[in-house]
Amino acid sequence: MKRWVWVVTIVFVFTGWQTLSFNEKPGLSASDSPLQRTVGAKSNEVVQPTLVRPEPLQLTIQLKKYYMDGVIETVKKEETIWSMMDFWVAYEGWSVESQDLDEIVFQKEVEDISPLTKKQGYFGLNENGELAVYNGDPQEGNVIEAFQPIPVKALESKRKIELENGIKIKDYQHFEQVLKLYSEDKEV
């Protein structure tokens, strides 16, 4: 029987509370708030809309990696941003190269040679006798245009033939060694 009294008491308290809170104004819902609000003005001023955009924000992102061999790798993508804090954390280590209203270009310098050069890069001599990086065999003449040709020091015939035939680039250390070995400048 005590159980029945507790149930009645709980029901009464609950319904009584609902009756008391029923007289209060209802809370705001999502539909009560417009996505773009206007700034209130005095009676003689013109009302201007704000530039606040509704969430989420859509941006075009460009990621540019600058490699030591002069190659620039660019990736372009569309991104939906729900939180600006999360967005900036996701691109930690990148620098902002440029920024517009709907686009951000990030850049990063990579202390390595590009994947393209690792796969099919060769050192060779261009038509001016300068050290150049080729995409494939130097006799085919596909110079990687991003690489600035470097004047070579006077070479013995064996070294010159080596460069004319092409030296396969193995990795970044090999890339640096060949630059130091063949260039006129001690610092490259």
Side-chain angles (χ1 to χ4, degrees), residues 2-142:
K2 285 185 179 182
R3 201 177 222 191
W4 178 254
V5 174
W6 278 105
V7 171
V8 170
T9 305
I10 290 173
V11 169
F12 176 72
V13 169
F14 180 71
T15 57
W17 177 76
Q18 288 294 334
T19 305
L20 291 175
S21 65
F22 181 70
N23 294 331
E24 295 177 11
K25 292 182 181 178
L28 292 176
S29 68
S31 62
D32 294 332
S33 177
L35 295 176
Q36 189 162 4
R37 300 178 186 181
T38 56
V39 175
K42 295 181 182 175
S43 60
N44 59 351
E45 292 180 11
V46 178
V47 176
Q48 295 292 325
T50 65
L51 297 176
V52 176
R53 291 181 164 212
E55 289 285 337
L57 179 64
Q58 295 281 50
L59 283 179
T60 301
I61 307 295
Q62 278 193 42
L63 302 173
K64 291 185 176 180
K65 289 183 181 178
Y66 291 88
Y67 290 96
M68 301 306 288
D69 56 355
V71 174
I72 302 170
E73 184 180 273
T74 303
V75 175
K76 191 173 185 177
K77 62 183 181 174
E78 298 294 320
E79 191 164 326
T80 301
I81 301 167
W82 292 92
S83 163
M84 289 308 290
M85 194 174 351
D86 292 341
F87 171 75
W88 290 113
V89 168
Y91 293 101
E92 191 174 342
W94 291 83
S95 302
V96 175
E97 184 175 290
S98 66
Q99 183 174 358
D100 290 327
L101 191 58
D102 294 333
E103 181 178 39
I104 297 180
V105 179
F106 289 103
Q107 71 175 12
K108 182 187 278 189
E109 290 189 19
V110 181
E111 292 283 328
D112 200 358
I113 56 176
S114 66
L116 174 69
T117 304
K118 285 180 183 177
K119 186 176 181 181
Q120 47 197 41
Y122 284 84
F123 278 111
L125 294 175
N126 66 10
E127 61 274 353
N128 298 330
E130 298 170 312
L131 188 63
V133 176
Y134 288 84
N135 182 10
D137 190 15
Q139 277 109 21
E140 294 174 15
N142 296 327

